[in-house]
Short mmCIF file of all heavy atoms in Angstrom, two decimals:
data_model
loop_
_atom_site.label_atom_id
_atom_site.label_comp_id
_atom_site.label_asym_id
_atom_site.label_seq_id
_atom_site.Cartn_x
_atom_site.Cartn_y
_atom_site.Cartn_z
N PHE D 276 -58.18 -3.55 18.79
CA PHE D 276 -59.05 -2.26 18.86
C PHE D 276 -57.92 -1.02 18.93
O PHE D 276 -58.27 -0.04 18.31
CB PHE D 276 -59.91 -2.21 20.03
CG PHE D 276 -60.69 -1.07 20.28
CD1 PHE D 276 -61.80 -0.87 19.41
CD2 PHE D 276 -60.47 -0.02 21.04
CE1 PHE D 276 -62.63 0.24 19.40
CE2 PHE D 276 -61.17 1.15 21.15
CZ PHE D 276 -62.29 1.22 20.34
N ALA D 277 -57.05 -1.15 19.65
CA ALA D 277 -56.08 -0.08 19.72
C ALA D 277 -55.46 0.24 18.38
O ALA D 277 -55.25 1.37 17.95
CB ALA D 277 -54.93 -0.43 20.84
N LEU D 278 -55.16 -0.81 17.68
CA LEU D 278 -54.51 -0.65 16.34
C LEU D 278 -55.53 -0.03 15.49
O LEU D 278 -55.20 0.94 14.79
CB LEU D 278 -54.19 -2.10 15.78
CG LEU D 278 -53.68 -2.05 14.41
CD1 LEU D 278 -52.35 -1.12 14.30
CD2 LEU D 278 -53.29 -3.39 13.95
N ALA D 279 -56.73 -0.32 15.43
CA ALA D 279 -57.90 0.22 14.62
C ALA D 279 -57.96 1.78 14.99
O ALA D 279 -58.05 2.64 14.21
CB ALA D 279 -59.15 -0.51 14.85
N LEU D 280 -57.87 2.04 16.29
CA LEU D 280 -57.97 3.45 16.78
C LEU D 280 -56.77 4.27 16.19
O LEU D 280 -57.10 5.32 15.71
CB LEU D 280 -57.86 3.34 18.34
CG LEU D 280 -58.31 4.69 19.04
CD1 LEU D 280 -59.74 4.93 18.80
CD2 LEU D 280 -58.12 4.58 20.48
N VAL D 281 -55.65 3.69 16.26
CA VAL D 281 -54.47 4.44 15.77
C VAL D 281 -54.56 4.70 14.26
O VAL D 281 -54.42 5.73 13.74
CB VAL D 281 -53.14 3.63 15.91
CG1 VAL D 281 -52.04 4.33 15.26
CG2 VAL D 281 -52.87 3.49 17.46
N GLU D 282 -55.17 3.68 13.64
CA GLU D 282 -55.21 3.84 12.07
C GLU D 282 -56.30 4.84 11.83
O GLU D 282 -56.15 5.53 10.91
CB GLU D 282 -55.55 2.45 11.52
CG GLU D 282 -54.32 1.56 11.43
CD GLU D 282 -54.57 0.51 10.37
OE1 GLU D 282 -55.34 -0.44 10.53
OE2 GLU D 282 -53.97 0.66 9.32
N THR D 283 -57.29 4.92 12.66
CA THR D 283 -58.29 5.89 12.39
C THR D 283 -57.92 7.41 12.63
O THR D 283 -58.21 8.23 11.94
CB THR D 283 -59.56 5.53 13.29
OG1 THR D 283 -59.79 4.22 13.07
CG2 THR D 283 -60.73 6.40 12.91
N LEU D 284 -57.10 7.39 13.69
CA LEU D 284 -56.77 8.76 14.15
C LEU D 284 -55.55 9.37 13.24
O LEU D 284 -55.51 10.58 13.31
CB LEU D 284 -56.29 8.67 15.65
CG LEU D 284 -57.39 8.42 16.65
CD1 LEU D 284 -56.93 8.33 18.02
CD2 LEU D 284 -58.55 9.45 16.52
N SER D 285 -54.80 8.54 12.74
CA SER D 285 -53.66 9.14 12.06
C SER D 285 -53.88 8.97 10.35
O SER D 285 -54.69 8.36 10.04
CB SER D 285 -52.40 8.55 12.37
OG SER D 285 -52.55 7.02 12.37
N ALA D 286 -53.13 9.97 9.81
CA ALA D 286 -53.17 9.91 8.35
C ALA D 286 -51.86 9.22 7.74
O ALA D 286 -50.84 9.24 8.42
CB ALA D 286 -53.19 11.31 7.81
N LYS D 287 -52.01 8.76 6.55
CA LYS D 287 -50.70 8.03 6.01
C LYS D 287 -49.73 9.11 5.68
O LYS D 287 -49.99 10.14 5.15
CB LYS D 287 -51.14 7.32 4.71
CG LYS D 287 -49.92 6.50 4.22
CD LYS D 287 -50.22 5.90 2.95
CE LYS D 287 -48.90 5.26 2.41
NZ LYS D 287 -47.80 6.18 2.30
N MET D 288 -48.50 8.70 5.97
CA MET D 288 -47.30 9.70 5.75
C MET D 288 -46.84 9.46 4.30
O MET D 288 -47.14 8.49 3.72
CB MET D 288 -46.13 9.38 6.63
CG MET D 288 -46.40 9.58 8.07
SD MET D 288 -44.89 9.15 9.01
CE MET D 288 -44.66 7.49 8.48
N ARG D 289 -46.22 10.46 3.77
CA ARG D 289 -45.46 10.38 2.52
C ARG D 289 -44.36 9.39 2.80
O ARG D 289 -43.78 9.15 3.97
CB ARG D 289 -44.81 11.63 2.06
CG ARG D 289 -45.78 12.64 1.49
CD ARG D 289 -45.04 13.91 1.34
NE ARG D 289 -43.91 13.73 0.29
CZ ARG D 289 -42.75 14.33 0.44
NH1 ARG D 289 -42.60 15.20 1.38
NH2 ARG D 289 -41.86 14.02 -0.55
N ILE D 290 -43.92 8.64 1.85
CA ILE D 290 -43.07 7.51 1.92
C ILE D 290 -41.74 7.99 2.55
O ILE D 290 -41.02 7.33 3.33
CB ILE D 290 -42.90 6.81 0.55
CG1 ILE D 290 -41.92 5.64 0.89
CG2 ILE D 290 -42.35 7.66 -0.51
CD1 ILE D 290 -42.50 4.40 1.47
N PHE D 291 -41.33 9.29 2.05
CA PHE D 291 -40.06 9.78 2.61
C PHE D 291 -40.15 10.18 4.00
O PHE D 291 -39.04 10.59 4.61
CB PHE D 291 -39.41 10.81 1.59
CG PHE D 291 -38.79 10.21 0.53
CD1 PHE D 291 -39.28 10.13 -0.73
CD2 PHE D 291 -37.56 9.53 0.75
CE1 PHE D 291 -38.58 9.45 -1.81
CE2 PHE D 291 -36.90 8.73 -0.19
CZ PHE D 291 -37.48 8.71 -1.55
N ARG D 292 -41.35 10.31 4.57
CA ARG D 292 -41.42 10.57 6.13
C ARG D 292 -41.01 9.27 6.82
O ARG D 292 -40.91 9.32 7.97
CB ARG D 292 -42.66 11.10 6.39
CG ARG D 292 -43.09 12.45 5.76
CD ARG D 292 -42.24 13.55 6.33
NE ARG D 292 -42.50 13.64 7.76
CZ ARG D 292 -43.57 14.22 8.29
NH1 ARG D 292 -44.51 14.72 7.51
NH2 ARG D 292 -43.75 14.22 9.64
N ALA D 293 -41.33 8.11 6.17
CA ALA D 293 -41.18 6.86 6.86
C ALA D 293 -39.71 6.71 7.52
O ALA D 293 -39.67 6.37 8.79
CB ALA D 293 -41.29 5.66 5.92
N PRO D 294 -38.59 7.13 6.92
CA PRO D 294 -37.44 7.00 7.68
C PRO D 294 -37.39 7.79 9.06
O PRO D 294 -36.86 7.27 9.94
CB PRO D 294 -36.36 7.55 6.70
CG PRO D 294 -36.97 7.65 5.39
CD PRO D 294 -38.49 7.52 5.55
N GLU D 295 -38.05 8.96 9.02
CA GLU D 295 -38.10 9.81 10.05
C GLU D 295 -38.76 9.02 11.28
O GLU D 295 -38.35 8.80 12.37
CB GLU D 295 -38.75 11.03 9.97
CG GLU D 295 -37.89 11.99 9.08
CD GLU D 295 -38.67 13.20 8.58
OE1 GLU D 295 -39.64 13.60 9.38
OE2 GLU D 295 -38.37 13.72 7.56
N PHE D 296 -39.98 8.35 10.92
CA PHE D 296 -40.82 7.78 11.81
C PHE D 296 -40.04 6.46 12.39
O PHE D 296 -39.91 6.17 13.52
CB PHE D 296 -42.09 7.24 10.98
CG PHE D 296 -43.13 6.43 11.71
CD1 PHE D 296 -43.90 7.04 12.70
CD2 PHE D 296 -43.12 5.06 11.66
CE1 PHE D 296 -44.70 6.38 13.44
CE2 PHE D 296 -44.06 4.33 12.42
CZ PHE D 296 -44.84 5.00 13.29
N LEU D 297 -39.49 5.72 11.47
CA LEU D 297 -38.74 4.47 11.95
C LEU D 297 -37.38 4.84 12.62
O LEU D 297 -37.00 4.29 13.54
CB LEU D 297 -38.50 3.56 10.62
CG LEU D 297 -39.68 2.92 10.30
CD1 LEU D 297 -39.48 2.40 8.91
CD2 LEU D 297 -40.12 1.92 11.30
N GLY D 298 -36.84 5.99 12.15
CA GLY D 298 -35.62 6.31 12.82
C GLY D 298 -35.92 6.81 14.29
O GLY D 298 -35.18 6.40 15.15
N THR D 299 -37.04 7.41 14.39
CA THR D 299 -37.41 7.65 15.82
C THR D 299 -37.47 6.39 16.67
O THR D 299 -37.21 6.31 17.76
CB THR D 299 -38.83 8.52 15.73
OG1 THR D 299 -38.75 9.55 14.88
CG2 THR D 299 -39.03 9.02 17.15
N ALA D 300 -38.23 5.43 15.98
CA ALA D 300 -38.45 4.13 16.61
C ALA D 300 -37.14 3.58 17.04
O ALA D 300 -36.87 3.08 18.14
CB ALA D 300 -39.16 3.21 15.73
N PHE D 301 -36.23 3.61 16.20
CA PHE D 301 -34.87 2.97 16.21
C PHE D 301 -34.09 3.77 17.47
O PHE D 301 -33.67 3.02 18.37
CB PHE D 301 -34.18 3.24 15.00
CG PHE D 301 -32.72 2.55 15.13
CD1 PHE D 301 -32.49 1.23 15.40
CD2 PHE D 301 -31.48 3.27 14.77
CE1 PHE D 301 -31.23 0.67 15.52
CE2 PHE D 301 -30.28 2.86 14.84
CZ PHE D 301 -30.12 1.50 15.21
N LEU D 302 -34.30 5.04 17.48
CA LEU D 302 -33.50 5.77 18.49
C LEU D 302 -34.16 5.51 19.79
O LEU D 302 -33.45 5.32 20.83
CB LEU D 302 -33.56 7.39 18.14
CG LEU D 302 -32.59 7.64 16.95
CD1 LEU D 302 -32.64 9.11 16.74
CD2 LEU D 302 -31.17 7.12 17.27
N LEU D 303 -35.53 5.39 19.74
CA LEU D 303 -36.09 5.11 21.06
C LEU D 303 -35.71 3.85 21.59
O LEU D 303 -35.50 3.64 22.91
CB LEU D 303 -37.72 5.16 20.86
CG LEU D 303 -38.34 6.54 20.88
CD1 LEU D 303 -39.82 6.27 20.42
CD2 LEU D 303 -38.21 7.20 22.17
N ALA D 304 -35.59 2.88 20.67
CA ALA D 304 -35.23 1.55 21.14
C ALA D 304 -33.79 1.54 21.77
O ALA D 304 -33.44 0.94 22.65
CB ALA D 304 -35.24 0.57 19.97
N VAL D 305 -32.90 2.30 21.01
CA VAL D 305 -31.50 2.32 21.64
C VAL D 305 -31.50 3.10 22.86
O VAL D 305 -30.83 2.67 23.78
CB VAL D 305 -30.58 3.16 20.51
CG1 VAL D 305 -29.22 3.39 21.16
CG2 VAL D 305 -30.47 2.29 19.29
N LEU D 306 -32.34 4.09 22.92
CA LEU D 306 -32.53 4.90 24.23
C LEU D 306 -32.96 3.93 25.30
O LEU D 306 -32.40 3.96 26.53
CB LEU D 306 -33.56 5.96 23.98
CG LEU D 306 -33.30 7.23 24.74
CD1 LEU D 306 -31.99 7.77 24.53
CD2 LEU D 306 -34.41 8.26 24.60
N ALA D 307 -33.88 2.97 24.90
CA ALA D 307 -34.45 2.08 25.94
C ALA D 307 -33.24 1.33 26.54
O ALA D 307 -32.96 1.07 27.74
CB ALA D 307 -35.42 1.12 25.24
N MET D 308 -32.30 0.74 25.60
CA MET D 308 -31.22 0.07 26.14
C MET D 308 -30.24 0.85 26.89
O MET D 308 -29.79 0.45 28.04
CB MET D 308 -30.34 -0.48 24.90
CG MET D 308 -30.77 -1.73 24.32
SD MET D 308 -29.79 -2.13 22.95
CE MET D 308 -28.55 -3.20 23.77
N LEU D 309 -30.07 2.22 26.55
CA LEU D 309 -29.18 2.92 27.49
C LEU D 309 -29.83 3.21 28.70
O LEU D 309 -29.13 3.11 29.78
CB LEU D 309 -28.90 4.24 26.64
CG LEU D 309 -28.00 4.26 25.51
CD1 LEU D 309 -27.91 5.60 24.79
CD2 LEU D 309 -26.61 3.86 25.94
N VAL D 310 -31.16 3.49 28.72
CA VAL D 310 -31.81 3.79 29.96
C VAL D 310 -31.65 2.51 30.88
O VAL D 310 -31.39 2.61 32.08
CB VAL D 310 -33.29 4.15 29.79
CG1 VAL D 310 -34.12 4.16 30.96
CG2 VAL D 310 -33.33 5.49 29.09
N ASN D 311 -31.86 1.41 30.27
CA ASN D 311 -31.70 0.22 31.04
C ASN D 311 -30.29 0.00 31.65
O ASN D 311 -30.23 -0.24 32.92
CB ASN D 311 -32.03 -1.00 30.04
CG ASN D 311 -31.80 -2.28 30.77
OD1 ASN D 311 -32.26 -2.47 31.97
ND2 ASN D 311 -31.06 -3.25 30.26
#
Side-chain angles (χ1 to χ4, degrees):
Chain D
F276 182 76
L278 179 58
L280 194 63
V281 169
E282 285 202 286
T283 306
L284 290 180
S285 48
K287 190 188 167 303
M288 294 182 300
R289 286 175 57 215
I290 183 81
F291 276 108
R292 297 287 302 282
E295 293 169 24
F296 180 78
L297 287 166
T299 312
F301 180 57
L302 289 181
L303 279 175
V305 173
L306 211 58
M308 275 181 89
L309 285 174
V310 166
N311 176 47

